[in-house]
Amino acid sequence: MTSPSVAQPIATQTPGRESGGAAVMEKAPERVRKPSPRYKVLLHNDPVNTMEYVVGTLRQVVPSLSEQDAIAVMLEAHNTGVGLVIVCDLEPAEFYCETLKAKGLSSSLEPET
């Protein structure tokens, strides 16, 4: 008498696996991100407004400036004709520059080199 035929499981190999059973992963090439260009916000000497107004306006427009930093920027502009307010990405730099102008201060942007 013969035994009934029983289906035997067949060993198959999953694609992407070595015979040891470890998955083979292909590493994607790393992308190098180029940093976005940065811009200087410049404050120009102001013979019209008081030093206190300039310092207060700088602190109001650029909250990251401390009182000492704002005074230093104002004095740099007063003594040399132009003071560096902040270096940042284009969008916030444009915002700072335009807001300073709207408050009566002369300001410009320059690419950081």
Side-chain angles (χ1 to χ4, degrees), residues 20-95:
V24 176
M25 304 289 289
E26 285 190 32
K27 186 176 179 185
E30 291 185 29
R31 293 185 182 188
V32 178
R33 293 191 65 176
K34 189 175 173 184
S36 60
R38 302 191 29 98
Y39 290 83
K40 298 178 190 177
V41 178
L42 303 173
L43 175 71
H44 299 275
N45 187 32
D46 183 357
V48 177
N49 294 300
T50 65
M51 291 181 174
E52 292 80 12
Y53 176 78
V54 173
V55 170
T57 302
L58 283 170
R59 294 214 51 216
Q60 181 183 12
V61 172
V62 186
S64 63
L65 286 179
S66 67
E67 180 86 16
Q68 292 78 18
D69 290 339
I71 291 170
V73 171
M74 178 273 300
L75 287 173
E76 184 183 9
H78 179 73
N79 293 326
T80 68
V82 66
L84 176 63
V85 178
I86 193 169
V87 178
C88 55
D89 290 333
L90 180 59
E91 192 171 330
E94 288 176 332
F95 172 78

